[in-house]
Amino acid sequence: MADMDEDVKSSFASLGLQEWLITQCKSVGINRPSAIQHNCIPPILKGQDCIGCAKTGSGKTAAFALPIIQKLSEDPYGIYCLVITPTRELAFQIADQFRVLGKPLGLKDCVIVGGFDMVKQGLELSRKPHVVISTPGRLADHLKSSNTFSLSKIKFLVLDEADRLLEGNFGPDLDVIFDAVPSKRQTLLFSATITDTMKELKKMSMSKPFFWHSKAPVATVEQLDQRYVLVPAQVKDAYLIHMLKTFQEEEENKSIMIFTSTCKYCHTLSIMLRELGFPCASLHSMVKQRIRLASLAMFKSNQVKILVATDVASRGLDIPTVQLVINHNVPTSPKDYIHRVGRTARAGRGGMAITMVTQFDVKLVYAVEQRINTKLTEYSIEESEVLPILNEVALAKSQAEMKLEELDFGERKAINKRKQLIMEGKDPEEELAKEKKEKKRKRRKGPSTSGEASTSKER
Ligand code: AMP
């Protein structure tokens, strides 16, 4: 399965990796380089900046982690490398790969993300770990509030899911971080989706970056069976339950991810599924970080077979067992579609993605098909098969909505938002008024179907 992306016939030795590191790769089942590794490892080892784009699940993390670990072994000190990534879960996942691959070296890593104790994190940073993996906001907070650590000697700056970082509203936090790192360093940018922002970046920063992107014309992997199912908007959830029943009858242990558009819907759906006898975990940015990690761990370890998530889980998460992705809504950005369906059919395995399409979503589906250069095929469901469960599902949904109200979900969201603004040093009243005004302006302009990505930090 070296051929995770395109046909590659090289060996890690021919790319310049040392024997001890190759042995370590083998011990975790990485035997031959994938395309992105074949192409990006040699220039990184040579000291070049690098921009790498390849389908999700093609071994991007090891493509930058391996040369960094080898270079670190030649001159080990901390803090040697900083990796920035848009979501907390991805930060933990990247740290895992550094820890496993860098084990013979005794590599010390440190994950700096929101939702955990800042004092403890400050202490960890002051102990000079070799590699720091962080989301932008929390690292910027540390840089602004503490002088017990320094990033001024780092050799490598990695931006993982670089397009998301550069397009989202991470700008001010990234500015703080860029000011703290030395200008003489190697910069590595990786992403599964290439965008104009990345092309811009290639022009304006970095010294003569080596640029590589997968030549595959289709943005999603061949092993992925991509379907759509037409559903009437009012009874969408009954169709979802029908699908879950069908798939679990076919294969009891099928591992399924369901993507939803908002935190609130994600939470309601997970309560509703439990009411209907489908144990599941949920992952979105409105729950505490510990619960987020616990949900992910339960799903990864197969304790629950269903994970309901927002786009906070759409990027980069590597859960090899996922066999089916259900898009409960058609993502407004085709790029989000690519990332969501990339959670299945990973590393050469098969998988299926089904997107639920209502009468209002046709334009969005065309935009997705155009972007992925593939037509989705129909997964058809007979209306008569869904009719018997309509009432049961409607009842479970209204019960779930009632439970959500008891949880004060809306109120908690508002409090969290205010807290976030205060942490950013902004006046919540002023910012919320601005936001309200902007929303009004957008409403006046009418709905957008341009397929632009949401710019919220975490969904
Ligand atoms: P990533 O694209 O970094 O999320 O990696 C996807 C998965 O592929 C991870 O579980 C890696 O451990 C695994 N992997 C990375 N490189 C290789 C390789 N050359 N051969 C086999 N598996 C790999």
Side-chain angles (χ1 to χ4, degrees):
M1 91 95 159
D3 178 12
M4 293 163 84
D5 197 346
E6 288 153 41
D7 203 18
V8 170
K9 298 208 166 51
S10 67
S11 67
F12 280 118
S14 69
L15 303 182
L17 284 195
Q18 289 162 359
E19 204 47 48
W20 64 271
L21 198 45
I22 298 173
T23 309
Q24 186 60 11
C25 284
K26 284 194 178 137
S27 77
V28 293
I30 298 181
N31 296 312
R32 284 201 299 139
S34 66
I36 192 161
Q37 294 159 359
H38 167 81
N39 287 281
C40 295
I41 290 177
I44 299 175
L45 283 176
K46 260 192 246 151
Q48 268 182 278
D49 286 348
C50 175
I51 301 178
C53 282
K55 290 169 197 168
T56 177
S58 57
K60 268 187 294 132
T61 317
F64 61 79
L66 287 170
I68 291 174
I69 292 168
Q70 176 151 317
K71 288 277 195 175
L72 173 71
S73 75
E74 291 161 9
D75 179 17
Y77 69 85
I79 300 172
Y80 186 83
C81 165
L82 171 64
V83 183
I84 308 283
T85 187
T87 74
R88 299 168 185 181
E89 285 74 13
L90 267 181
F92 284 101
Q93 187 176 294
I94 294 167
D96 283 345
Q97 288 221 30
F98 266 102
R99 208 168 308 140
V100 168
L101 295 172
K103 197 168 171 214
L105 206 64
L107 182 141
K108 277 191 280 167
D109 67 275
C110 163
V111 176
I112 301 294
V113 296
F116 290 97
D117 190 86
M118 266 191 87
V119 178
K120 266 196 204 152
Q121 287 180 346
L123 205 66
E124 272 187 66
L125 283 168
S126 69
R127 290 192 189 124
K128 298 190 177 170
H130 299 118
V131 181
V132 173
I133 304 106
S134 179
T135 47
R138 181 51 71 93
L139 186 63
D141 286 346
H142 277 284
L143 286 167
K144 284 186 274 187
S145 65
S146 148
N147 55 5
T148 56
F149 74 102
S150 164
L151 297 175
S152 64
K153 293 205 168 60
I154 63 156
K155 279 272 160 65
F156 282 96
L157 173 68
V158 183
L159 264 59
D160 180 52
E161 302 294 346
D163 58 334
R164 170 95 178 88
L165 286 171
L166 296 165
E167 284 170 6
N169 51 2
F170 293 111
D173 294 330
L174 289 177
D175 287 345
V176 174
I177 295 166
F178 292 157
D179 278 347
V181 296
S183 51
K184 193 171 173 296
R185 57 163 201 254
Q186 258 178 276
T187 307
L188 315 178
L189 306 187
F190 282 85
S191 184
T193 41
I194 179 150
T195 65
D196 291 342
T197 327
M198 298 263 293
K199 283 182 200 151
E200 277 302 303
L201 208 96
K202 187 186 161 200
K203 265 190 281 168
M204 60 188 213
S205 87
M206 304 160 83
S207 60
K208 294 191 200 119
F210 169 79
F211 178 72
W212 185 80
H213 70 100
S214 157
K215 285 175 201 68
V218 177
T220 42
V221 293
E222 271 168 32
Q223 297 86 341
L224 175 65
D225 182 4
Q226 304 188 69
R227 307 287 190 103
Y228 69 92
V229 56
L230 288 172
V231 297
Q234 315 82 313
V235 289
K236 202 175 188 182
D237 292 327
Y239 276 74
L240 174 70
I241 298 298
H242 173 74
M243 274 196 284
L244 293 178
K245 275 193 174 147
T246 311
F247 281 113
Q248 291 199 333
E249 269 162 24
E250 260 173 37
E251 192 184 329
E252 205 184 322
N253 282 331
K254 209 169 186 105
S255 185
I256 302 171
M257 269 181 100
I258 304 170
F259 281 102
T260 61
S261 54
T262 65
C263 298
K264 188 169 178 184
Y265 211 95
C266 180
H267 215 82
T268 317
L269 206 56
S270 62
I271 299 175
M272 185 188 92
L273 290 185
R274 283 184 216 116
E275 294 270 344
L276 290 167
F278 293 94
C280 64
S282 68
L283 181 59
H284 58 80
S285 59
M286 283 289 297
V287 288
K288 289 207 171 95
Q289 188 57 36
R290 271 177 218 294
I291 299 178
R292 275 166 68 166
L293 288 177
S295 294
L296 195 57
M298 281 208 320
F299 183 61
K300 272 187 164 177
S301 61
N302 271 322
Q303 289 176 61
V304 290
K305 300 291 169 199
I306 301 173
L307 180 70
V308 192
T310 58
D311 278 308
V312 76
S314 69
R315 285 209 178 224
L317 285 185
D318 182 36
I319 311 169
T321 49
V322 178
Q323 291 153 293
L324 173 65
V325 166
I326 297 179
N327 284 318
H328 188 268
N329 69 310
V330 187
T332 46
S333 155
K335 227 163 68 164
D336 283 342
Y337 173 90
I338 295 170
H339 286 285
R340 284 181 180 192
V341 301
R343 294 318 100 220
T344 183
R346 293 180 70 74
R349 296 181 185 83
M352 187 190 254
I354 304 180
T355 301
M356 303 185 78
V357 179
T358 72
Q359 59 272 39
F360 309 113
D361 304 324
V362 178
K363 267 190 183 166
L364 293 175
V365 175
Y366 285 146
V368 165
E369 289 182 334
Q370 227 174 10
R371 177 69 204 262
I372 61 172
N373 202 10
T374 304
K375 282 254 168 252
L376 306 187
T377 50
E378 185 171 7
Y379 177 87
S380 73
I381 298 179
E382 288 296 326
E383 195 186 348
S384 57
E385 294 173 39
V386 184
L387 282 176
I389 59 168
L390 281 186
N391 285 342
E392 187 192 0
V393 175
L395 184 68
K397 184 156 184 207
S398 64
Q399 278 169 346
E401 281 166 348
M402 262 154 35
K403 280 198 179 156
L404 204 71
E405 247 167 63
E406 283 164 26
L407 289 173
D408 286 337
F409 199 81
E411 198 176 319
R412 245 196 306 151
K413 188 172 176 178
I415 293 171
N416 278 354
K417 186 146 201 188
R418 276 170 189 278
K419 254 197 325 204
Q420 170 81 26
L421 289 168
I422 292 168
M423 292 275 286
E424 287 169 12
K426 294 174 185 156
D427 176 350
E429 302 306 331
E430 213 173 274
E431 294 297 318
L432 292 172
K434 256 195 248 166
E435 210 170 275
K436 216 167 157 186
K437 216 163 141 192
E438 179 65 11
K439 264 192 196 149
K440 231 183 197 169
R441 193 185 63 81
K442 277 196 182 143
R443 257 204 308 272
R444 251 186 273 127
K445 272 175 71 182
S448 152
T449 48
S450 65
E452 281 307 303
S454 155
T455 53
S456 65
K457 280 191 181 178
E458 279 210 341
R459 281 159 275 189

